[in-house]
Amino acid sequence: MRKRTILQALAIALLVLFVNGPNVVSLIIVLVGELLLAIFAYKQKEKKDEKVEEPLAPAHELLQLYGDPDDIILLDAVRGNELNHQILVYRDQRCFVVEGQPLNWQDIKSVTFNNYATPYEIPVYQIVIATTLRDHPFIHLSVGQDISWAREIVMEMENWIEGEEKERR
């Protein structure tokens, strides 16, 4: 990125030196625009560097906090023993533990799945959880290439949420 910005600034500076008349004003406008874009890109990079993701909570900490889960929904059968490839279900707390973080059922708007591959790739499905949370309005969980697996995960999550609502009525 730095090399590109430096080369652009050098090219504009050389053009300003060798061009006379009204073109100089337009080149100065372009130079100011390039400077503003560079500042914007730098600030975006700073924001990205500041954003520190919380590591996944170790399984034993989750067990101490919530106890044994009522159910475990596997997202990826091959890597099902890893915490970020499973959803832990806690009926009493009315929450799922998704990627090591609790997600209350009342914060979930909808659960669905989609294919996020391009038309030229093998289908790759993901579970999409729409939430009311400002930090995470959507949670995307990769589930592999099997559409029936993705459907079953969505149905299982919906059954837990709807089953709890029916019991409360």
Side-chain angles (χ1 to χ4, degrees), residues 22-141:
N23 292 335
V24 173
V25 174
S26 62
L27 288 175
I28 290 174
I29 291 172
V30 170
L31 182 61
V32 170
E34 286 287 332
L35 179 65
L36 291 175
L37 286 174
I39 291 171
F40 178 74
Y42 179 74
K43 287 187 177 186
Q44 290 295 328
K45 185 178 182 221
E46 279 185 354
K47 284 183 182 178
K48 185 179 177 184
D49 291 342
E50 286 177 7
K51 192 184 285 186
V52 177
E53 293 186 22
E54 296 179 20
L56 294 175
H60 69 276
E61 288 181 18
L62 287 171
L63 291 175
Q64 288 176 350
L65 187 62
Y66 295 114
D68 289 331
D70 295 309
D71 192 11
I72 297 175
I73 302 171
L74 292 180
L75 299 175
D76 187 350
V78 175
R79 300 188 307 184
N81 61 342
E82 298 174 18
L83 188 59
N84 57 344
H85 293 284
Q86 54 184 259
I87 298 173
L88 305 179
V89 181
Y90 291 96
R91 176 183 284 167
D92 294 338
Q93 290 84 4
R94 301 191 64 241
C95 75
F96 295 120
V97 175
V98 179
E99 294 182 336
Q101 301 298 322
L103 176 63
N104 293 324
W105 292 348
Q106 73 253 12
D107 293 334
I108 297 174
K109 289 182 188 176
S110 66
V111 180
T112 187
F113 69 94
N114 69 3
N115 176 6
Y116 67 94
T118 65
Y120 307 105
E121 296 177 333
I122 296 172
V124 181
Y125 295 95
Q126 65 181 353
I127 302 297
V128 181
I129 304 171
T131 69
T132 59
L133 304 174
R134 288 186 181 195
D135 296 343
H136 302 289
F138 296 99
I139 300 171
H140 301 272
L141 306 168

